[in-house]
Amino acid sequence: MSLTIQLSGSGGAQLVPAFGCDCAACHRARRHPRFRRRPCSAMVRYNGAVTLLDAGLPDIMDSWPAGSFRQFLLTHYHMDHVQGLFPLRWGVGAKIPVYGPPDEQGCDDLFKHPGLLDFSHTLAPFVMFELQGLRVTPLPLNHSKLCFGYLLETARSRAAWLADTAGLPDKTLTFLRNNAPDIIIIDCNHPPKAETPRNHNDLNAVLAINESLGCPRVVLTHISHQLDVWMMHNPLPPGIEAGYDGMEIVLD
Ligand SMILES: [Zn+2]
Ligand SMILES: [Zn+2]
Ligand SMILES: [Zn+2]
């Protein structure tokens, strides 16, 4: 039984192209839609069941009609990761489970007026649970809002989703070292900078993390137009690849 992770969005909150920007990356994305980057999110399919990992796509309801997915799995309650939930909650039909970190605030009035959404599935760090046979372990990340990454695990493979984050907390790094993922999909909002930014990784931070993990395949996500411009002039190191909208990762 294979595990499929499809990136439905690989951009940061600013998106590519960024409003009003005419840098080389934004210019290219306007001319060629395949270079656009929508809000960072993914579709995870295992055992015939679809989980939507984050809900930042504003038109999520058009791509995923009622019944086409089983649940949401949220990393955190920043707008670029949950905005698609706002219209969807006023829909008709069965409740939809939402799994996510124990953030008491959430985003705007989502918890006060959940509509169809069932936010009772609050997760605890490092406490594994199952979604239709897929084993999922929440991993604390470093971000300006309470944020979990996830280890997604089947009998034969492991993938770690690590966004949004700046570096990784020691406990998460140790957990990942002990559970050696086959692939990590990780926040790399920024091109290499002299100092690691506060809320998101730059490429140097990703390389430092993987120095310690030794993961054979690293996919970058939450990519800004500045990193796109950087990548137009610089190759990525071996084993590191840029994610893109629609990218499909299939694990055994
Ligand atoms: Zn974000
Ligand atoms: Zn730009
Ligand atoms: Zn965020």
Side-chain angles (χ1 to χ4, degrees):
M1 216 158 16
S2 61
L3 167 64
T4 301
I5 302 170
Q6 184 172 41
L7 306 195
S8 40
S10 60
Q14 199 176 20
L15 310 181
V16 180
F19 181 75
C21 186
D22 203 29
C23 75
C26 291
H27 187 71
R28 179 180 67 175
R30 275 192 204 94
R31 287 180 53 142
H32 305 290
R34 70 178 186 279
F35 291 109
R36 284 177 175 260
R37 297 189 186 278
R38 306 184 78 210
C40 178
S41 54
M43 181 281 296
V44 176
R45 187 188 291 113
Y46 182 69
N47 205 3
V50 169
T51 299
L52 297 183
L53 179 40
D54 281 342
L57 298 181
D59 57 353
I60 202 166
M61 307 192 309
D62 299 334
S63 315
W64 298 99
S68 63
F69 64 98
R70 296 289 281 270
Q71 59 260 322
F72 287 105
L73 176 60
L74 301 180
T75 58
H76 66 303
Y77 286 91
H78 271 154
M79 196 53 99
D80 56 318
H81 297 260
V82 296
Q83 60 198 346
L85 298 178
F86 283 82
L88 187 147
R89 66 181 156 161
W90 302 126
V92 180
K95 292 266 186 204
I96 300 169
V98 182
Y99 295 79
D103 181 335
E104 285 174 13
Q105 257 78 57
C107 182
D108 198 69
D109 65 349
L110 271 182
F111 292 169
K112 194 171 168 206
H113 301 296
L116 279 186
L117 301 171
D118 174 6
F119 288 102
S120 66
H121 303 270
T122 303
L123 306 172
F126 304 110
V127 179
M128 194 255 275
F129 65 103
E130 288 200 17
L131 297 174
Q132 294 85 40
L134 177 65
R135 294 199 293 273
V136 182
T137 307
L139 308 172
L141 302 180
N142 292 330
H143 198 46
S144 57
K145 204 161 171 49
L146 182 62
C147 187
F148 283 165
Y150 295 101
L151 183 72
L152 309 173
E153 199 178 354
T154 72
R156 286 207 295 261
S157 51
R158 294 192 189 111
W161 181 271
L162 302 168
D164 298 0
T165 195
L168 288 178
D170 286 344
K171 280 187 166 178
T172 294
L173 205 54
T174 303
F175 180 90
L176 288 170
R177 237 184 269 129
N178 293 336
N179 289 274
D182 304 293
I183 181 168
I184 62 175
I185 301 142
I186 187 164
D187 182 334
C188 187
N189 199 79
H190 304 290
K193 288 183 179 268
E195 277 177 48
T196 300
R198 264 185 316 145
N199 285 318
H200 296 281
N201 286 327
D202 68 336
L203 183 61
N204 291 333
V206 171
L207 297 179
I209 288 168
N210 207 45
E211 188 92 354
S212 153
L213 289 183
C215 181
R217 191 174 177 200
V218 176
V219 173
L220 310 180
T221 189
H222 216 287
I223 293 171
S224 66
H225 59 147
Q226 292 98 336
L227 177 56
D228 267 333
V229 170
W230 187 87
M231 288 190 295
M232 290 167 108
H233 303 288
N234 300 277
L236 288 168
I240 314 275
E241 57 194 296
Y244 54 88
D245 290 22
M247 182 183 202
E248 196 170 72
I249 296 158
V250 182
L251 299 173
D252 201 9

